Amino acid sequence: MKSWTDLWKAGRVFKAAFEEQRLAIESVYGAADNILRVSADTPPEYAVSMEPIPDSFYTLRKNIFSTLFQSMYHLMDCAPQHRLFYGKLIHLFRIWVTSADNLLDEEDKVVIPIQMPGSSRVMRQVVSIMTADRIFQRLLAEGQEAGVLNATQAAELSERSLQILLPSAAQEASEEEGITDRPDPETVLSVIHRYKTGILFNVAFLAPEIVEPHLDRARAEALKEALLQFGIGCQVLDDIRDLARDHIEKRHNYLLSSLWQTEPEFSQSLQNRTMHPDDRLYLEVPQVTLPAARLGFGMMRDGLATLGEMGLGIRPRLAENLAASMFKVLDLKDVKYA
């Protein structure tokens, strides 16, 4: 985390992007607070409202990826008013995706803190998604009033904001009942993870591609590819951490596919083994974990180095430090990659 803080302190673009993202998040939560209201005569047991936003929601640690996405608008020379508009959209995407994941994975990662009766885990996610959609409609209207986009662009952005997520949704759907066959690791890396995670690291480019009149599309594509490489590198680390969980839930996982290919006896032994989703199973197979950790580290480092070359203020040594810090961010302090 220290390396990201160093980038925030020294990197002009990253620091400005972080401040913009904080404003964007604050605006989204302000809109949510205005929307999440019930009539005054509603009995207390049926009341719904926003809870106070924790200070942690605005920290750099909580917003590393969003700040990285926000930085792309600086590197594409988008106007400040446009950047703030895009930043709000980034946070709405984050709400949609996280809430959907919560529903699928039976988790409760809070993106909109909502006060509702009972535990209400599922309903809070449903209300979060519905609220984000209402905020999005407000955002489109405000964008037109401010001259950020016209009616045709607003309609296209409304449709494509869903369409861009559909391949990722289809990939998740393919795993919902558990997979029966494990593809080779290269297919997991270059195809499955490209849709599972890679798309989510490229949604930040959707609005500028529609709105910006003089967008340098070649530069935008280079930035997208660098972010994609960084994102898939993060997913490889997720696969290491989630090795036991993905085995239990029968999900695609780069390490599990590697194990089926190179360690079939160990893979077979897992079928009759009792384990907990949070077990550090990857520590038992360093011969597979180490190459995967090196692969993920290299992809993150190279993606960040490319972004540095394109103006983000990341020198090669800092790119290595930032990639190394992701092991701690993703709860893999016990994994070696060198």
Side-chain angles (χ1 to χ4, degrees):
M1 189 61 207
K2 181 179 181 299
S3 297
W4 291 97
T5 303
D6 290 342
L7 176 59
W8 175 78
K9 291 178 178 177
R12 177 186 59 81
V13 170
F14 196 75
K15 184 173 184 178
F18 176 61
E19 295 303 326
E20 287 176 352
Q21 191 57 35
R22 283 173 56 94
L23 290 174
I25 294 171
E26 186 176 10
S27 177
V28 167
Y29 286 139
D33 190 32
N34 288 330
I35 292 170
L36 288 169
R37 298 178 181 273
V38 296
S39 62
D41 60 351
T42 302
E45 60 267 29
Y46 300 111
V48 176
S49 62
M50 279 275 288
E51 293 182 343
I53 306 300
D55 291 341
S56 62
F57 276 35
Y58 296 101
T59 63
L60 178 60
R61 183 181 186 86
K62 189 85 169 178
N63 296 284
I64 287 176
F65 292 154
S66 294
T67 302
L68 196 57
F69 300 159
Q70 187 73 25
S71 299
M72 299 303 102
Y73 306 138
H74 289 257
L75 301 186
M76 290 188 289
D77 294 324
C78 300
Q81 187 179 26
H82 289 203
R83 295 199 303 260
L84 188 58
F85 176 84
Y86 301 151
K88 296 174 188 177
L89 186 54
I90 286 175
H91 201 62
L92 291 177
F93 270 116
R94 184 171 170 180
I95 294 169
W96 287 322
V97 171
T98 303
S99 295
D101 282 346
N102 283 340
L103 289 171
L104 290 169
D105 300 337
E106 298 184 1
E107 295 181 343
D108 198 13
K109 298 174 182 174
V110 179
V111 279
I112 299 182
I114 300 173
Q115 177 63 49
M116 298 183 76
S119 59
S120 58
R121 183 193 65 80
V122 171
M123 188 51 67
R124 275 203 307 272
Q125 310 311 321
V126 173
V127 173
S128 290
I129 293 171
M130 295 171 69
T131 302
D133 197 56
R134 272 62 177 182
I135 296 171
F136 182 41
Q137 297 309 313
R138 281 192 178 192
L139 180 61
L140 293 177
E142 291 169 359
Q144 291 178 74
E145 292 174 5
V148 174
L149 72 170
N150 58 41
T152 300
Q153 292 169 331
E156 183 179 1
L157 185 53
S158 179
E159 293 177 2
R160 288 185 59 191
S161 63
L162 172 62
Q163 293 167 350
I164 195 172
L165 295 174
L166 292 179
S168 182
Q171 193 284 318
E172 287 283 354
S174 71
E175 293 182 288
E176 199 165 329
E177 297 299 323
I179 62 172
T180 55
D181 297 304
R182 292 211 171 273
D184 65 89
E186 184 54 39
T187 298
V188 174
L189 190 69
S190 62
V191 179
I192 293 170
H193 282 355
R194 194 174 187 92
Y195 289 106
K196 180 184 182 73
T197 300
I199 284 177
L200 304 181
F201 275 76
N202 278 175
V203 295
F205 294 88
L206 174 63
E209 289 175 345
I210 294 172
V211 175
E212 294 298 319
H214 306 296
L215 182 67
D216 185 337
R217 296 193 177 273
R219 181 175 176 80
E221 284 301 316
L223 291 169
K224 285 172 71 172
E225 186 58 36
L227 265 185
L228 177 71
Q229 191 172 23
F230 174 78
I232 294 178
C234 290
Q235 183 59 54
V236 172
L237 264 62
D238 277 342
D239 283 1
I240 296 173
R241 186 195 60 209
D242 293 340
L243 186 59
R245 181 179 300 276
D246 288 344
H247 167 72
I248 294 169
E249 297 177 359
K250 298 181 179 179
R251 291 180 172 271
H252 289 296
N253 182 292
Y254 179 76
L255 264 75
L256 286 171
S257 286
S258 298
L259 284 168
W260 273 107
Q261 189 175 77
T262 62
E263 305 283 345
E265 291 184 5
F266 179 84
S267 296
Q268 193 62 41
S269 72
L270 296 178
Q271 307 309 308
N272 301 316
R273 178 171 166 179
T274 301
M275 68 181 76
H276 188 274
D278 293 329
D279 284 351
R280 304 268 172 172
L281 183 60
Y282 54 83
L283 295 175
E284 297 181 27
V285 283
Q287 69 276 23
V288 174
T289 299
L290 177 58
R294 286 173 173 167
L295 172 66
F297 171 75
M299 294 183 76
M300 292 186 298
R301 177 200 59 208
D302 294 347
L304 290 169
T306 298
L307 294 176
E309 292 169 1
M310 298 186 72
L312 194 53
I314 301 175
R315 296 184 181 276
R317 181 60 180 172
L318 180 55
E320 289 193 5
N321 292 340
L322 291 171
S325 74
M326 292 306 298
F327 283 80
K328 182 177 181 180
V329 171
L330 297 174
D331 191 25
L332 287 172
K333 290 183 290 185
D334 53 1
V335 171
K336 305 299 181 184
Y337 53 89

